[in-house]
Every structure is written in structure tokens, then in C-alpha cells.
Amino acid sequence: MKIPFLAAVLAMSLAAPPQMGIVTGGATGTYIKIGEDIKKIVEPSRISMQVLESAGSIQNVFDVRRKRGVQLGIVQSDVLDYIRDISDDHELKAIAAKLAAVYPLYKEEVHILGDLSLKTLQDLHGKRVAIGPQRSGTYLTAKTIFFQTGITPSKEVFLGGKEALDALRRGEIDAMVYVAGAPATLFSESTTADDKFQLLGIDDKALDSYLTAVIPSGTYKWQESDVKTVAVKAVLITFSYAGEQCQNVAKVAKIIRENKAWLDVNGHPKWREVNLDERLPKWPQYECVAATNEQPQPKPKGPDIKIVR
């Protein structure tokens, strides 16, 4: 017996919306704000999006493959270098081989804060350095930079953020690594000239897989000159899913592209730095997303743009 046409249409309209998840970062970080912005623009299209906190890039790599209901994650662009060159986790390597970029996001500068006796990255050799909690984005960047430059601290301390800053202030460590878009709130709000800290320059040819960057003088009140450094890109990633998940991720990507002008005005300020057409070395774009790029896109409508449904 055939289902009447109207009944079929009603059944389709009552179908449950896609259930999707995105793993981000800590509760006060930029990653989770970006995830919440994506949730705002996709839910009018009947996509149920859960935004999840996480401990960092490595956890997010695992979660986009293993965590139920999660198809998207935000990681640092150097996570693949870390997994390939440093990690001995075979499962992690297998997952990483099938990761793909949805879109590149914004740039995050590598800050190395130390006392006045230190000047450059090479001065960290034989020093006590806080490199972030294990498996965090800062941790994997610090480990990758040390691997690529041959620098060996006398002690690597797994502290991040305020804990690392407090340890530096007490003299328990000589320097700390912190990866965040400049100006980093931690340094803007929690350091003064009285601390007698400075940012160390990073200018090493061995780090050619990183983006070059400059933290301009005055970015922090106590910073008197420009500081050369390197930077990573935050990347919205997925696993190489097929079938329904391919369609769902592609739909989210299309909604992001169609609402980029809205995000620039109403979302986190870092959206203004995002170039959705940029391509990153070592990061292939997910083929299901690339297919949507070939479709005609709406012209930007300016600050009053409505969320596309």
C-alpha cells in the first residue's frame, strides 16, 4: 500500500533534525565562542548543534572520530606536525591521516614570556619552561617548536595560563609558552611593567611550517618594541565521513559561508580575520565541503544581514 502524498510530506516535515556536535576549548577561550556563533547560524536551518568544551587540540582530534554526536572540532594547524613527528600514539596517527579541514579560521600568535635575562627562543635551552597542560594546544606547539629547533629545556612544566604566570612571577620557572591571538587577555589584564617580563623573539628558519608574525610594540603596556614570532591557524576540522554525515557537515559549511558577513558584524571579533577561501599546507579541504564552494554564493548584504535559513 502506497503512503498518500500528503502523509509522506508530513512525515518528512516531522523528521528529527540532524544532531551535530562541535568540540572547542576551555569555557573562557575563543574556540568556544566561535562554536557558539556557528550554533546560532545553523539552528534556524533545523540543525541541532551541541557546543562542547574540551582540554585542547589533541582531545578534539580523538573526539571528531570517537565521540558520539561530534562531527566538528577546532584545532591548531600544527597538530598534524606534532602527531606525525612526536606522538607515539598509533591510534592518534591513524585518525589524523583521515582528518580534513572544513575552513581555516584565525591566526594565533605564539607568546613566550620570560624574565629580562632571556632574549630569544634559543635562550630557553637548559631553562625551566611551562609548556601548557599535557595535550593542550600550547603543549603541542611548544613540543613541536622544541623538536624542530633542537632546543632542550632543563625542565618542562605542564602548567598553562594563570598558573604558569604565577609560577613565573614566583621564580619557579624561567619562561612560559602561551598560544593565543594577540592581545592575549591573560597578559593584558594580569601583567604590569613591575613584573619585569618580556616577550622572547622567535625567528628560526627551522620553523618554516609556521606562519610568520609580529606582536607590535604597545600590544601590552610594558612592551616597548615589536617582537617577531610565529603563529598557528585555528582550523575547523572534521573526519572524512561519508553518507549522511558528509551531507550534514557540508550543509554547516554552506551556512557558515552564506552568513560570513553576519558573523563579521555579530560574532566574535576574530571572524573578521577569517578567509574561508584560504588553503593551508598539509590540510586538504574536506571534499564534501569543497563541492559546496563551487555553488553560486549570495552577495554580502552588509551589517543588517539576516541569518540565512
Side-chain angles (χ1 to χ4, degrees), residues 31 57-58 60-62 64 71-84 92-93 95-106 108 140 209-211 231-240 276-287 289-290 293:
Y31 283 7
S57 290
I58 297 297
N60 293 357
V61 168
F62 278 116
V64 295
Q71 301 84 10
L72 298 166
I74 303 176
V75 302
Q76 291 175 191
S77 57
D78 58 348
V79 68
L80 292 184
D81 290 313
Y82 171 83
I83 293 170
R84 181 194 64 209
L92 184 61
K93 288 178 182 292
I95 293 172
K98 293 188 176 182
L99 294 180
V102 176
Y103 289 128
L105 296 174
Y106 54 89
E108 301 177 279
L140 72 88
S209 62
Y210 285 86
L211 303 169
V232 297
K233 278 279 188 176
V235 187
L236 180 63
I237 66 162
T238 189
F239 190 76
S240 294
L276 298 179
D277 294 316
E278 182 181 6
R279 294 295 171 260
L280 299 175
K282 305 178 185 178
W283 280 100
Q285 188 173 43
Y286 186 35
E287 59 183 15
V289 173
N293 296 339

Side-chain angles (χ1 to χ4, degrees), residues 37-55:
D37 288 339
I38 293 172
K39 176 184 174 76
K40 287 178 186 176
I41 62 171
V42 302
E43 291 205 325
S45 296
R46 297 191 73 245
I47 296 174
S48 177
M49 177 73 72
Q50 187 176 15
V51 180
L52 303 170
E53 294 179 34
S54 91

Side-chain angles (χ1 to χ4, degrees), residues 81-128:
D81 290 313
Y82 171 83
I83 293 170
R84 181 194 64 209
D85 297 332
I86 300 171
S87 176
D88 58 2
D89 188 321
H90 296 296
E91 182 184 8
L92 184 61
K93 288 178 182 292
I95 293 172
K98 293 188 176 182
L99 294 180
V102 176
Y103 289 128
L105 296 174
Y106 54 89
K107 186 163 65 175
E108 301 177 279
E109 289 83 4
V110 177
H111 296 68
I112 300 182
L113 191 71
D115 62 43
L116 298 181
S117 69
L118 306 175
K119 303 297 182 185
T120 68
L121 176 67
Q122 286 69 27
D123 292 335
L124 296 184
H125 193 80
K127 301 297 184 181
R128 303 163 298 170

Side-chain angles (χ1 to χ4, degrees), residues 145-215:
I145 287 175
F146 293 160
F147 176 85
Q148 293 182 354
T149 59
I151 291 171
T152 305
S154 62
K155 185 178 182 181
E156 294 178 345
V157 182
F158 306 127
L159 295 175
K162 188 176 184 302
E163 289 181 317
L165 189 59
D166 289 343
L168 182 60
R169 193 172 279 123
R170 293 192 298 265
E172 297 170 359
I173 56 175
D174 302 301
M176 63 177 286
V177 182
Y178 191 69
V179 181
T185 302
L186 177 68
F187 298 149
S188 295
E189 297 183 354
S190 302
T191 59
T192 69
D194 293 338
D195 289 314
K196 293 183 169 50
F197 294 151
Q198 66 179 346
L199 292 171
L200 280 62
I202 303 177
D203 188 12
D204 195 304
K205 293 180 181 178
L207 299 175
D208 59 359
S209 62
Y210 285 86
L211 303 169
T212 58
V214 173
I215 302 175

Side-chain angles (χ1 to χ4, degrees), residues 221-236:
K221 293 178 181 179
W222 39 263
Q223 183 192 346
E224 297 180 352
S225 59
D226 293 353
V227 176
K228 289 185 178 180
T229 187
V230 294
V232 297
K233 278 279 188 176
V235 187
L236 180 63

